[in-house]
Amino acid sequence: MTSIQQRAALQSQIWKIANDVRGAVDGWDFKQYVLGTLFYRFISENFAAYIEGGDEDINYARLNDIIITPAVRDDAIKTKGYFIYPSQLFANVVASANTNESLNTDLAKVFSAIENSALGYPSERDIRGLFADFDTTSNRLGNTVKDKNTRLAAVLKGVAELNFGDFGGSDFETHQIDLFGDAYEFLISNYAANAGKSGGEFFTPQHVSKLIAQLAMHKQTSVNKIYDLACGSGSLLLQARKHIDQHLIEDGFWGQELNHTTYNLARMNMFLHNVNYDKFNIQLGDTLIDPHFGDDKPFDAIVSNPPYSVKWIGSDDPTLINDDRFAPAGVLAPKSKADFAFVLHALNYLSSKGRAAIVCFPGIFYRGGAEQKIRQYLVDNNHVETVISLAPNLFYGTTIAVTILVLSKHKADTTTQFIDASGLFKKETNNNTLLDEHIEQIMAVFDSKANVDHFARSVSHADIAANDYNLSVSSYVQAKDTREVVDIAQINAQLKTTVAKIDQLRKDIDSIVAEIEGGEA
């Protein structure tokens, strides 16, 4: 079986298991149990492979907990960020799951022990609360302890049956990690696709993530760190990792997320893609009013798909106009539309050599008032490199045709590029999709900055100013006229011929009528 076939079979199997074990529980409400169990299996097998170190004579799962020395434990936590005793491994817990009458409480103890193992170590911040949403006492699992244990055992058994291959030692790094990470992303994307609007708030489809990552990383041979100011499940950050050799990312992956459940998903996602605790920094909180990483900026690459036109405190907090993120623009984003607050935050965190690629609601590019003043600030200071309009229905939970704003602090000229990519998509059952060839087409013109009829145009700042700082792509790139070309001369000739035929037909009819009337007389 090829790797592609293996992935397809695995994905089909995992989604079937996810639906079978949830019973009557809504899939969106049940996602943390399937995702959390997959994560638990991964870190168990990953940790066991680390301890065994490729030595086939060692089977960590069969060792007795009491032989683990404090030195071994200490060294493992410093390296992996956490510790799991043999008895706490996924394989050992699942082996007795069907007969364990205290399965739900035992699982809670295991998760608590894994989290607590990091207390006092540098990884404490990254491990704390990872299993917080895996509530083994929740009534979503059933009304009685027996019901809860039955469903938990079904989830454990289902995930245990997933075939990630049998790779030990160093092979774990190159085979199982890819499959675990792919399975996790597949699950997240399917949950998002089936969750409506709420799904779109935490997951950016991989094809769009790939484009955003390439825009932000374009021509950068190395970056200090990559940042997402509203990171959701971390998919955008991980796409950047796939796009560039991870060894060229010096200080890793940084992000902030407001939703607690999604924040945990993002941290799990990092581990599942083999990003070690010392190579990511995901923080919980409101980016606009409680921003993290102010002492860690600037960032060479910023990618983000922040929430569209959400409310924020804005001018109700008079101190924000003096915040170094918003003060340069001289005005705050409207209280009912925080979009430009996210944009200005990203610009403030961006390094002089980097780029920020941000998914935006299209209305911010043409509306008046404070948003127009912020656009003027961005254009007059030469920070807007490119504005790209995408096709509708590319995201989960919304059919909006969004726009990507690319910011830069190292532009070589004083023009702004506009790209109309609204016609680049493949129609799928429920959503449109960007194909690799579409991304390549966008990136080619982004790189060349060439003017292409009906597709791309670079516009001087003077022309943008004369157009009231409107940054809508449709204002500068003329859409191709797809109406049928009509040849008036040809139509007139056809009409003339048709009229002549009608006149002749009338004469013939008149002649026949006259002949009939004469015969009757």
Side-chain angles (χ1 to χ4, degrees), residues 417-443:
Q417 181 188 40
F418 296 88
I419 300 175
D420 182 359
S422 60
L424 300 181
F425 65 92
K426 178 185 178 184
K427 180 67 178 176
E428 300 287 1
T429 304
N430 297 317
N431 285 84
N432 293 330
T433 303
L434 278 177
L435 301 179
D436 284 348
E437 62 195 62
H438 298 144
I439 295 174
E440 290 169 5
Q441 191 174 345
I442 293 170
M443 290 306 302

mmCIF file of all heavy atoms in Angstrom, residues 417-443:
data_model
loop_
_atom_site.group_PDB
_atom_site.id
_atom_site.type_symbol
_atom_site.label_atom_id
_atom_site.label_comp_id
_atom_site.label_asym_id
_atom_site.label_seq_id
_atom_site.Cartn_x
_atom_site.Cartn_y
_atom_site.Cartn_z
ATOM 1 N N GLN A 417 0.000 46.356 -5.299
ATOM 2 C CA GLN A 417 -0.446 45.366 -6.272
ATOM 3 C C GLN A 417 -1.846 44.854 -5.916
ATOM 4 O O GLN A 417 -2.164 44.616 -4.746
ATOM 5 C CB GLN A 417 0.527 44.181 -6.301
ATOM 6 C CG GLN A 417 0.155 43.104 -7.320
ATOM 7 C CD GLN A 417 1.022 41.861 -7.193
ATOM 8 O OE1 GLN A 417 1.339 41.428 -6.078
ATOM 9 N NE2 GLN A 417 1.428 41.279 -8.309
ATOM 10 N N PHE A 418 -2.672 44.704 -6.941
ATOM 11 C CA PHE A 418 -4.018 44.147 -6.780
ATOM 12 C C PHE A 418 -4.139 42.906 -7.663
ATOM 13 O O PHE A 418 -3.802 42.951 -8.850
ATOM 14 C CB PHE A 418 -5.087 45.174 -7.155
ATOM 15 C CG PHE A 418 -5.106 46.381 -6.252
ATOM 16 C CD1 PHE A 418 -4.300 47.481 -6.542
ATOM 17 C CD2 PHE A 418 -5.899 46.412 -5.120
ATOM 18 C CE1 PHE A 418 -4.300 48.595 -5.706
ATOM 19 C CE2 PHE A 418 -5.893 47.516 -4.285
ATOM 20 C CZ PHE A 418 -5.090 48.611 -4.576
ATOM 21 N N ILE A 419 -4.606 41.806 -7.071
ATOM 22 C CA ILE A 419 -4.761 40.544 -7.802
ATOM 23 C C ILE A 419 -6.205 40.066 -7.662
ATOM 24 O O ILE A 419 -6.724 39.921 -6.555
ATOM 25 C CB ILE A 419 -3.814 39.449 -7.258
ATOM 26 C CG1 ILE A 419 -2.357 39.889 -7.389
ATOM 27 C CG2 ILE A 419 -4.035 38.129 -7.997
ATOM 28 C CD1 ILE A 419 -1.368 38.911 -6.757
ATOM 29 N N ASP A 420 -6.844 39.834 -8.800
ATOM 30 C CA ASP A 420 -8.203 39.298 -8.804
ATOM 31 C C ASP A 420 -8.134 37.787 -9.039
ATOM 32 O O ASP A 420 -8.038 37.322 -10.173
ATOM 33 C CB ASP A 420 -9.046 39.964 -9.895
ATOM 34 C CG ASP A 420 -10.488 39.458 -9.898
ATOM 35 O OD1 ASP A 420 -10.812 38.584 -9.063
ATOM 36 O OD2 ASP A 420 -11.287 39.921 -10.737
ATOM 37 N N ALA A 421 -8.151 37.032 -7.936
ATOM 38 C CA ALA A 421 -8.095 35.567 -8.033
ATOM 39 C C ALA A 421 -9.464 34.948 -7.804
ATOM 40 O O ALA A 421 -9.577 33.762 -7.488
ATOM 41 C CB ALA A 421 -7.091 35.029 -7.016
ATOM 42 N N SER A 422 -10.502 35.743 -7.970
ATOM 43 C CA SER A 422 -11.862 35.268 -7.680
ATOM 44 C C SER A 422 -12.321 34.178 -8.635
ATOM 45 O O SER A 422 -13.267 33.446 -8.341
ATOM 46 C CB SER A 422 -12.850 36.440 -7.718
ATOM 47 O OG SER A 422 -12.843 37.060 -9.005
ATOM 48 N N GLY A 423 -11.650 34.081 -9.782
ATOM 49 C CA GLY A 423 -12.039 33.043 -10.747
ATOM 50 C C GLY A 423 -11.229 31.772 -10.618
ATOM 51 O O GLY A 423 -11.442 30.815 -11.384
ATOM 52 N N LEU A 424 -10.320 31.732 -9.644
ATOM 53 C CA LEU A 424 -9.455 30.563 -9.482
ATOM 54 C C LEU A 424 -10.003 29.661 -8.376
ATOM 55 O O LEU A 424 -9.827 29.925 -7.193
ATOM 56 C CB LEU A 424 -8.022 30.998 -9.139
ATOM 57 C CG LEU A 424 -7.312 31.888 -10.166
ATOM 58 C CD1 LEU A 424 -5.899 32.202 -9.704
ATOM 59 C CD2 LEU A 424 -7.289 31.218 -11.535
ATOM 60 N N PHE A 425 -10.670 28.608 -8.761
ATOM 61 C CA PHE A 425 -11.187 27.639 -7.791
ATOM 62 C C PHE A 425 -11.705 26.414 -8.531
ATOM 63 O O PHE A 425 -11.965 26.445 -9.726
ATOM 64 C CB PHE A 425 -12.323 28.247 -6.950
ATOM 65 C CG PHE A 425 -13.567 28.593 -7.737
ATOM 66 C CD1 PHE A 425 -14.607 27.686 -7.886
ATOM 67 C CD2 PHE A 425 -13.692 29.847 -8.340
ATOM 68 C CE1 PHE A 425 -15.747 28.008 -8.619
ATOM 69 C CE2 PHE A 425 -14.830 30.177 -9.068
ATOM 70 C CZ PHE A 425 -15.855 29.255 -9.209
ATOM 71 N N LYS A 426 -11.810 25.331 -7.767
ATOM 72 C CA LYS A 426 -12.446 24.119 -8.265
ATOM 73 C C LYS A 426 -13.708 23.905 -7.457
ATOM 74 O O LYS A 426 -13.694 23.959 -6.230
ATOM 75 C CB LYS A 426 -11.521 22.898 -8.118
ATOM 76 C CG LYS A 426 -12.171 21.601 -8.593
ATOM 77 C CD LYS A 426 -11.276 20.400 -8.325
ATOM 78 C CE LYS A 426 -11.956 19.110 -8.761
ATOM 79 N NZ LYS A 426 -11.142 17.911 -8.417
ATOM 80 N N LYS A 427 -14.807 23.670 -8.137
ATOM 81 C CA LYS A 427 -16.089 23.486 -7.462
ATOM 82 C C LYS A 427 -16.146 22.101 -6.823
ATOM 83 O O LYS A 427 -15.962 21.093 -7.485
ATOM 84 C CB LYS A 427 -17.239 23.645 -8.461
ATOM 85 C CG LYS A 427 -18.620 23.463 -7.866
ATOM 86 C CD LYS A 427 -18.959 24.577 -6.887
ATOM 87 C CE LYS A 427 -20.379 24.404 -6.345
ATOM 88 N NZ LYS A 427 -20.695 25.418 -5.316
ATOM 89 N N GLU A 428 -16.337 22.079 -5.493
ATOM 90 C CA GLU A 428 -16.505 20.818 -4.781
ATOM 91 C C GLU A 428 -17.970 20.684 -4.367
ATOM 92 O O GLU A 428 -18.800 21.527 -4.695
ATOM 93 C CB GLU A 428 -15.593 20.787 -3.548
ATOM 94 C CG GLU A 428 -14.100 20.906 -3.856
ATOM 95 C CD GLU A 428 -13.510 19.643 -4.478
ATOM 96 O OE1 GLU A 428 -14.274 18.678 -4.677
ATOM 97 O OE2 GLU A 428 -12.299 19.629 -4.748
ATOM 98 N N THR A 429 -18.276 19.613 -3.631
ATOM 99 C CA THR A 429 -19.671 19.355 -3.251
ATOM 100 C C THR A 429 -20.240 20.491 -2.410
ATOM 101 O O THR A 429 -21.296 21.046 -2.719
ATOM 102 C CB THR A 429 -19.780 18.034 -2.466
ATOM 103 O OG1 THR A 429 -19.222 16.989 -3.263
ATOM 104 C CG2 THR A 429 -21.235 17.713 -2.160
ATOM 105 N N ASN A 430 -19.541 20.851 -1.339
ATOM 106 C CA ASN A 430 -20.045 21.879 -0.435
ATOM 107 C C ASN A 430 -19.242 23.173 -0.470
ATOM 108 O O ASN A 430 -19.765 24.241 -0.190
ATOM 109 C CB ASN A 430 -20.065 21.349 1.006
ATOM 110 C CG ASN A 430 -21.009 20.169 1.171
ATOM 111 O OD1 ASN A 430 -22.117 20.187 0.654
ATOM 112 N ND2 ASN A 430 -20.563 19.142 1.878
ATOM 113 N N ASN A 431 -17.969 23.072 -0.779
ATOM 114 C CA ASN A 431 -17.103 24.244 -0.780
ATOM 115 C C ASN A 431 -16.245 24.279 -2.027
ATOM 116 O O ASN A 431 -15.995 23.258 -2.662
ATOM 117 C CB ASN A 431 -16.177 24.231 0.452
ATOM 118 C CG ASN A 431 -16.896 24.603 1.730
ATOM 119 O OD1 ASN A 431 -17.518 23.759 2.355
ATOM 120 N ND2 ASN A 431 -16.825 25.864 2.114
ATOM 121 N N ASN A 432 -15.807 25.477 -2.380
ATOM 122 C CA ASN A 432 -14.827 25.604 -3.455
ATOM 123 C C ASN A 432 -13.436 25.332 -2.891
ATOM 124 O O ASN A 432 -13.199 25.446 -1.692
ATOM 125 C CB ASN A 432 -14.892 27.004 -4.063
ATOM 126 C CG ASN A 432 -16.205 27.259 -4.796
ATOM 127 O OD1 ASN A 432 -16.814 26.336 -5.336
ATOM 128 N ND2 ASN A 432 -16.664 28.504 -4.794
ATOM 129 N N THR A 433 -12.511 25.002 -3.775
ATOM 130 C CA THR A 433 -11.152 24.650 -3.358
ATOM 131 C C THR A 433 -10.126 25.336 -4.246
ATOM 132 O O THR A 433 -10.327 25.446 -5.461
ATOM 133 C CB THR A 433 -10.932 23.121 -3.446
ATOM 134 O OG1 THR A 433 -11.899 22.461 -2.641
ATOM 135 C CG2 THR A 433 -9.542 22.744 -2.967
ATOM 136 N N LEU A 434 -9.033 25.798 -3.648
ATOM 137 C CA LEU A 434 -7.886 26.291 -4.406
ATOM 138 C C LEU A 434 -6.975 25.118 -4.720
ATOM 139 O O LEU A 434 -6.523 24.417 -3.804
ATOM 140 C CB LEU A 434 -7.106 27.323 -3.582
ATOM 141 C CG LEU A 434 -7.599 28.765 -3.552
ATOM 142 C CD1 LEU A 434 -6.718 29.574 -2.607
ATOM 143 C CD2 LEU A 434 -7.579 29.381 -4.931
ATOM 144 N N LEU A 435 -6.697 24.888 -5.979
ATOM 145 C CA LEU A 435 -5.767 23.832 -6.367
ATOM 146 C C LEU A 435 -4.341 24.372 -6.341
ATOM 147 O O LEU A 435 -4.117 25.591 -6.327
ATOM 148 C CB LEU A 435 -6.107 23.325 -7.773
ATOM 149 C CG LEU A 435 -7.513 22.744 -7.968
ATOM 150 C CD1 LEU A 435 -7.691 22.312 -9.427
ATOM 151 C CD2 LEU A 435 -7.772 21.585 -7.020
ATOM 152 N N ASP A 436 -3.372 23.466 -6.355
ATOM 153 C CA ASP A 436 -1.969 23.880 -6.363
ATOM 154 C C ASP A 436 -1.671 24.774 -7.561
ATOM 155 O O ASP A 436 -0.889 25.723 -7.469
ATOM 156 C CB ASP A 436 -1.048 22.652 -6.384
ATOM 157 C CG ASP A 436 -0.962 21.974 -5.023
ATOM 158 O OD1 ASP A 436 -1.415 22.581 -4.030
ATOM 159 O OD2 ASP A 436 -0.442 20.847 -4.952
ATOM 160 N N GLU A 437 -2.286 24.467 -8.702
ATOM 161 C CA GLU A 437 -2.035 25.271 -9.904
ATOM 162 C C GLU A 437 -2.562 26.697 -9.741
ATOM 163 O O GLU A 437 -1.984 27.648 -10.276
ATOM 164 C CB GLU A 437 -2.682 24.612 -11.123
ATOM 165 C CG GLU A 437 -4.194 24.477 -11.045
ATOM 166 C CD GLU A 437 -4.764 23.518 -12.073
ATOM 167 O OE1 GLU A 437 -4.422 22.314 -12.025
ATOM 168 O OE2 GLU A 437 -5.546 23.973 -12.931
ATOM 169 N N HIS A 438 -3.643 26.849 -8.975
ATOM 170 C CA HIS A 438 -4.171 28.189 -8.701
ATOM 171 C C HIS A 438 -3.208 28.965 -7.806
ATOM 172 O O HIS A 438 -2.934 30.149 -8.041
ATOM 173 C CB HIS A 438 -5.537 28.090 -8.012
ATOM 174 C CG HIS A 438 -6.588 27.407 -8.833
ATOM 175 N ND1 HIS A 438 -7.561 26.597 -8.276
ATOM 176 C CD2 HIS A 438 -6.795 27.386 -10.175
ATOM 177 C CE1 HIS A 438 -8.336 26.138 -9.232
ATOM 178 N NE2 HIS A 438 -7.895 26.601 -10.388
ATOM 179 N N ILE A 439 -2.696 28.278 -6.779
ATOM 180 C CA ILE A 439 -1.743 28.919 -5.871
ATOM 181 C C ILE A 439 -0.484 29.322 -6.621
ATOM 182 O O ILE A 439 0.053 30.424 -6.435
ATOM 183 C CB ILE A 439 -1.406 27.967 -4.701
ATOM 184 C CG1 ILE A 439 -2.659 27.732 -3.852
ATOM 185 C CG2 ILE A 439 -0.279 28.543 -3.841
ATOM 186 C CD1 ILE A 439 -2.479 26.699 -2.762
ATOM 187 N N GLU A 440 -0.008 28.451 -7.511
ATOM 188 C CA GLU A 440 1.179 28.752 -8.311
ATOM 189 C C GLU A 440 0.948 29.973 -9.200
ATOM 190 O O GLU A 440 1.840 30.807 -9.374
ATOM 191 C CB GLU A 440 1.553 27.537 -9.165
ATOM 192 C CG GLU A 440 2.096 26.364 -8.351
ATOM 193 C CD GLU A 440 2.218 25.096 -9.170
ATOM 194 O OE1 GLU A 440 1.974 25.162 -10.406
ATOM 195 O OE2 GLU A 440 2.545 24.035 -8.601
ATOM 196 N N GLN A 441 -0.244 30.079 -9.754
ATOM 197 C CA GLN A 441 -0.571 31.220 -10.609
ATOM 198 C C GLN A 441 -0.567 32.527 -9.815
ATOM 199 O O GLN A 441 -0.035 33.552 -10.273
ATOM 200 C CB GLN A 441 -1.945 30.996 -11.260
ATOM 201 C CG GLN A 441 -2.282 31.978 -12.378
ATOM 202 C CD GLN A 441 -3.576 31.621 -13.083
ATOM 203 O OE1 GLN A 441 -4.094 30.513 -12.936
ATOM 204 N NE2 GLN A 441 -4.114 32.559 -13.853
ATOM 205 N N ILE A 442 -1.132 32.482 -8.623
ATOM 206 C CA ILE A 442 -1.162 33.674 -7.772
ATOM 207 C C ILE A 442 0.259 34.044 -7.341
ATOM 208 O O ILE A 442 0.657 35.218 -7.407
ATOM 209 C CB ILE A 442 -2.042 33.427 -6.531
ATOM 210 C CG1 ILE A 442 -3.503 33.257 -6.957
ATOM 211 C CG2 ILE A 442 -1.913 34.589 -5.545
ATOM 212 C CD1 ILE A 442 -4.416 32.768 -5.836
ATOM 213 N N MET A 443 1.036 33.057 -6.923
ATOM 214 C CA MET A 443 2.386 33.330 -6.435
ATOM 215 C C MET A 443 3.295 33.844 -7.549
ATOM 216 O O MET A 443 4.186 34.675 -7.307
ATOM 217 C CB MET A 443 2.986 32.074 -5.807
ATOM 218 C CG MET A 443 2.336 31.665 -4.495
ATOM 219 S SD MET A 443 2.284 32.975 -3.239
ATOM 220 C CE MET A 443 4.039 33.378 -3.081
#
